[in-house]
Amino acid sequence: MKKQNRIPCLPFDVIFEILLLLPPESLPDLKRVCKQWKNIISNTHFIETQLRGSNRGIIYQTLISKGSYKTHFVEIREGGIMTRDIDTGRLGRVRASCNGLLLMECKLDLYIVNPITKRLVG
């Protein structure tokens, strides 16, 4: 008989806490690992907890060419300033932000974008 190697099942709370420690950018890919992880990451309580623990910062854009912008996020972390680019595609200008979501304007249309999950509503 073959010996089967099994990974012990971790309790829900432990997985929840581990996923909270990971960078938000990795979460969309981690939803594909298994149904349990997808359910946790999609859960409203998880999302709210993630937002409460995230660093606050400033979003600004630089004009690349007419109607084309590059979006940046600046945060103060551990006494230093960290800047990273946010991929907003070619949606145009950021008009507002709230709880990690961006209100984007492209020509005369408005879109709500989640830059972490890359989901768009318009």
Side-chain angles (χ1 to χ4, degrees), residues 66-114:
K66 186 178 179 179
S68 181
Y69 297 87
K70 190 169 189 176
T71 308
H72 312 277
F73 182 73
V74 179
E75 61 184 323
I76 297 173
R77 185 189 299 175
E78 299 170 7
I81 297 175
M82 305 283 293
T83 303
R84 62 182 161 99
D85 294 339
I86 299 174
D87 181 16
T88 55
R90 301 183 183 270
L91 288 177
R93 294 184 64 190
V94 173
R95 291 312 215 169
S97 67
C98 181
N99 292 334
L101 301 177
L102 304 176
L103 177 64
M104 307 283 300
E105 177 186 21
C106 182
K107 298 183 182 174
L108 298 176
D109 296 323
L110 294 175
Y111 300 91
I112 297 173
V113 179
N114 183 331

Side-chain angles (χ1 to χ4, degrees), residues 51-59 73-77 99:
L51 281 172
R52 274 194 304 264
S54 64
N55 294 324
R56 295 175 190 229
I58 299 169
I59 293 174
F73 182 73
V74 179
E75 61 184 323
I76 297 173
R77 185 189 299 175
N99 292 334

